[in-house]
Amino acid sequence: MADRAKRFSKANPVHGQTGASRFTLNDNVRFKVGFWREEWKAPDVYEMKTLYHNLTEAAKARQIERAEIAKKRSAEGKMVIRERDERIARERARAVLADAKRAREVAEQAIERAAERRAGLELSAAKISSSDYAGALRRERIRTKLEAMDPKSQREALAHLHPDVVAALAEMPLQFSPVSPDIYMTTLERAFEKEHGETLAELEAIEQAAEVTLQAAKGGEVIAKESLADNLMLAPQEVDAVASEIMGG
């Protein structure tokens, strides 16, 4: 229980995680969100981290509010909506909805930038100058030698990813390769990951952080609307309109 409680705090990571993996909704429904991982340290995740934790703190506050409302209704026998209470409820909902809106925007922008960066990555060995005649002859000799080898020897020759050998493979389309499709694709993928490993890891962190942030945004919208419905005694069909009015939409 102590570990689970600590995960609600961005100041107390447990096993490298913070936040809340699920938001508790009305009727004890659980909305899947996902923990924040402390290894997500790319520049694009900093604002997402703040927004994510704002929303998980709002989810925690909503649990407390839900219990307080139930206690008040039990004591009074009915729910009396006071002007001050309505104003506070609207202000709280506005803050959560604003964070959810911004979190969605930031996460979607981060995913788009990550996709653009990923699409722009190229294998350096595949950038071959048309005027490099000596290099062309060297690569042709490499392909000839590879073609004469059995698959085991080919894998051994390609194990060290020498730039010239990778270039010899990358220069020719798969259908004209001296090695099998499996060896061809595996070798080029390994070369690509070796060259861009740090960038790929950063992009993966951004995308994972963005997905968790998007889930927190969706959950934040739900808990904000639940809070409005409980505090203002709104019918289900009225909630969206009130939330939109609060956000000026």
Side-chain angles (χ1 to χ4, degrees):
M1 291 297 293
D3 277 5
R4 186 174 298 176
K6 287 178 71 176
R7 283 191 177 112
F8 253 118
S9 171
K10 60 185 175 182
N12 295 300
V14 177
H15 307 308
Q17 299 176 328
T18 56
S21 65
R22 298 176 188 272
F23 289 178
T24 301
L25 310 181
N26 281 351
D27 300 321
N28 207 34
V29 174
R30 302 284 182 170
F31 182 89
K32 184 178 180 181
V33 177
F35 289 121
W36 188 270
R37 296 184 176 276
E38 290 301 296
E39 65 262 29
W40 295 336
K41 296 185 181 296
D44 272 14
V45 310
Y46 296 144
E47 185 175 4
M48 285 192 284
K49 180 178 181 179
T50 298
L51 291 163
Y52 168 90
H53 282 104
N54 286 352
L55 292 164
T56 57
E57 289 299 321
K60 181 180 179 181
R62 171 65 185 143
Q63 288 181 295
I64 297 172
E65 179 190 63
R66 190 182 293 113
E68 290 175 345
I69 289 174
K71 183 178 179 180
K72 185 181 295 185
R73 284 179 177 171
S74 177
E76 296 180 355
K78 62 179 181 178
M79 185 72 173
V80 178
I81 304 175
R82 299 176 177 84
E83 182 178 346
R84 177 179 177 277
D85 293 337
E86 178 176 353
R87 184 177 70 254
I88 292 173
R90 284 173 171 268
E91 289 173 353
R92 286 177 177 171
R94 182 183 294 109
V96 177
L97 289 169
D99 277 342
K101 179 181 178 181
R102 179 58 182 164
R104 189 185 297 275
E105 292 171 349
V106 172
E108 289 175 349
Q109 290 168 5
I111 290 172
E112 184 177 343
R113 285 194 298 270
E116 289 174 353
R117 287 179 61 191
R118 192 185 299 276
L121 298 177
E122 296 181 2
L123 183 61
S124 296
K127 298 177 183 178
I128 298 169
S129 171
S130 57
S131 61
D132 182 15
Y133 302 116
L137 290 172
R138 183 170 62 254
R139 292 189 296 274
E140 179 58 33
R141 286 197 295 270
I142 290 171
R143 286 192 293 271
T144 300
K145 289 183 177 181
L146 286 171
E147 191 170 22
M149 296 177 182
D150 59 44
K152 180 180 179 181
S153 298
Q154 288 175 345
R155 288 190 175 89
E156 290 173 354
L158 296 168
H160 302 295
L161 298 175
H162 189 282
D164 285 345
V165 178
V166 174
L169 283 187
E171 185 176 23
M172 300 299 289
L174 175 59
Q175 59 268 35
F176 299 112
S177 176
V179 299
S180 68
D182 176 59
I183 295 176
Y184 177 90
M185 295 303 299
T186 300
T187 301
L188 295 188
E189 287 171 1
R190 285 173 50 233
F192 186 82
E193 291 172 0
K194 179 180 179 181
E195 180 175 355
H196 299 293
E198 289 186 10
T199 300
L200 291 171
E202 180 181 323
L203 295 178
E204 184 177 3
I206 291 170
E207 289 163 345
Q208 291 173 346
E211 182 57 36
V212 166
T213 303
L214 284 174
Q215 286 298 106
K218 293 176 186 177
E221 290 167 355
V222 174
I223 61 174
K225 291 177 181 180
E226 279 189 357
S227 178
L228 284 172
D230 283 352
N231 281 287
L232 307 186
M233 296 183 66
L234 300 174
Q237 63 270 22
E238 298 176 308
V239 178
D240 286 344
V242 173
S244 179
E245 177 263 317
I246 284 175
M247 293 301 290

